[in-house]
Amino acid sequence: MLYRFLWIFFIYAFLGWCTEVSYAALVTGKFVNRGFLNGPVCPIYGFGVVIVLGCLTPLSDHLPVLFVGSVVLTSALEWLTGFVLEKLFHQRWWDYSNQPFNLSGYICLRFSIAWGFACMFVVKLLHPTVLGLIRLIPRPVGLILLVLLGGTMAVDLAATVSTVVKLNRHLAQIDELAAKIKEASNEFGENLADRVLDAAERGADWKEDIDELSFKLALRRAELADDLENWEQRRDEQRAQVRAQLEGWRRSVQGLLDSEPFGRRRLLKAFPELRSLDHRDTLERLRRRAELRRKR
């Protein structure tokens, strides 16, 4: 029984990935790996079919019960998956908040009904063929393949989690640098933070802004000083200090925006609705910077 359910899981995880990729291709006209993992699998589909088959096979001859049960089970799984991913990674991976009759943005009536019809198709039409294919695999070979598939998925999961953790760390580092820039800008009431971050996002040169703003800072400090004899010398020193400090922060921000750890670009493309709960604006800036680099 376990042997069969494991094969069912992997087969439908792959078929679910094919479905997601095909849907994305129809909508965007491009190939997009829509899975959470890097490999061609969507585990939520595998778990969904295993749960539906395990719970509803005895009721498969009663189509209304099969439909309603499929809607309830798959919706519960999708809601739970979205909730757990959000709590674990502090990110919203998909959002149905703009859809009518949604629940916390994790599920909505439109897709829940679609999952119900999809499960009816699987149980009544597709699954007998899948079972026939599983029976064709010699059991020793099947066991070896399951071990290989399970090991590969475990490695893939570890790599994906590492990518998400690094993404969150980079977002936190960018926000920390932005906070330092804002603190410096508050000294002379200029909106320096946005200028620095925008320049880093565009990869632009902004030395004229540094000259202008550091000059204002030096002038304001000099006006408050008792001794004005060495004003020019202090102005030049402060200008150089401010320029070096701000340029260093800009380079650090730009370096973080430009870095692309393994799998990050794929995740951002696979989940266009991905939102960070703690660093929402910074993630959008990171996404725009990645798009700008691709266009170049």
Side-chain angles (χ1 to χ4, degrees):
M1 181 67 70
L2 178 60
Y3 172 85
R4 185 176 66 182
F5 273 122
L6 285 174
W7 268 113
I8 290 171
F9 167 79
F10 282 111
I11 289 174
Y12 284 103
F14 171 71
L15 293 177
W17 178 84
C18 293
T19 301
E20 287 284 347
V21 169
S22 299
Y23 178 77
L26 289 174
V27 173
T28 66
K30 300 178 182 179
F31 171 83
V32 180
N33 182 356
R34 290 295 300 273
F36 177 73
L37 302 180
N38 295 288
V41 287
C42 285
I44 190 173
Y45 282 86
F47 283 120
V49 172
V50 167
I51 291 172
V52 168
L53 291 174
C55 296
L56 301 180
T57 295
L59 305 173
S60 59
D61 291 334
H62 303 278
L63 292 183
V65 176
L66 176 62
F67 174 76
V68 173
S70 298
V71 169
V72 171
L73 291 174
T74 55
S75 297
L77 176 63
E78 186 176 21
W79 187 94
L80 181 63
T81 301
F83 177 81
V84 170
L85 287 176
E86 182 172 325
K87 295 305 177 184
L88 282 177
F89 302 117
H90 295 270
Q91 293 170 339
R92 175 66 69 94
W93 294 82
W94 61 85
D95 193 355
Y96 298 140
S97 297
N98 61 339
Q99 297 287 335
F101 306 105
N102 72 85
L103 181 60
S104 303
Y106 299 131
I107 59 175
C108 67
L109 182 62
R110 171 190 172 191
F111 285 106
S112 293
I113 291 176
W115 302 142
F117 282 115
C119 287
M120 290 178 63
F121 168 77
V122 167
V123 173
K124 301 301 292 184
L125 297 176
L126 180 60
H127 193 59
T129 302
V130 170
L131 286 178
L133 292 175
I134 294 174
R135 294 190 188 100
L136 291 175
I137 304 174
R139 192 175 183 86
V141 175
L143 290 172
I144 294 174
L145 290 176
L146 285 176
V147 171
L148 292 175
L149 290 171
T152 301
M153 182 174 289
V155 172
D156 196 347
L157 177 61
T160 301
V161 171
S162 176
T163 297
V164 177
V165 170
K166 288 179 181 178
L167 172 61
N168 284 337
R169 187 185 303 132
H170 282 182
L171 294 176
Q173 289 172 342
I174 292 172
D175 277 349
E176 183 179 351
L177 288 169
K180 291 181 179 179
I181 295 169
K182 288 180 181 179
E183 184 179 354
S185 69
N186 289 338
E187 293 188 26
F188 47 93
E190 295 288 345
N191 190 19
L192 177 59
D194 288 340
R195 295 194 197 185
V196 175
L197 294 175
D198 288 342
E201 182 180 329
R202 299 190 311 271
D205 188 0
W206 60 299
K207 287 186 173 56
E208 291 183 0
D209 285 342
I210 295 178
D211 286 341
E212 176 187 353
L213 295 171
S214 60
F215 177 80
K216 290 181 179 179
L217 176 61
L219 180 60
R220 184 165 300 182
R221 287 177 175 173
E223 290 173 351
L224 298 176
D226 293 334
D227 182 11
L228 300 180
E229 294 181 0
N230 298 321
W231 177 81
E232 288 190 4
Q233 180 180 352
R234 292 199 305 273
R235 181 201 63 187
D236 293 339
E237 292 175 353
Q238 291 171 350
R239 176 183 294 177
Q241 291 174 359
V242 170
R243 173 182 294 176
Q245 187 176 50
L246 297 180
E247 179 65 15
W249 285 339
R250 184 194 70 85
R251 289 183 180 276
S252 297
V253 172
Q254 186 173 338
L256 290 170
L257 291 174
D258 286 342
S259 64
E260 287 194 339
F262 173 78
R264 189 171 79 182
R265 179 187 295 184
R266 187 198 65 78
L267 278 179
L268 294 179
K269 290 178 63 178
F271 294 92
E273 299 296 324
L274 177 64
R275 298 292 180 269
S276 173
L277 302 184
D278 301 325
H279 313 285
R280 182 184 181 92
D281 294 338
T282 304
L283 179 58
E284 291 307 306
R285 191 181 294 274
L286 185 70
R287 195 192 303 273
R288 290 196 301 269
R289 177 60 176 162
E291 292 175 355
L292 180 62
R293 292 184 65 204
R294 286 197 295 269
K295 290 178 181 179
R296 290 178 180 175

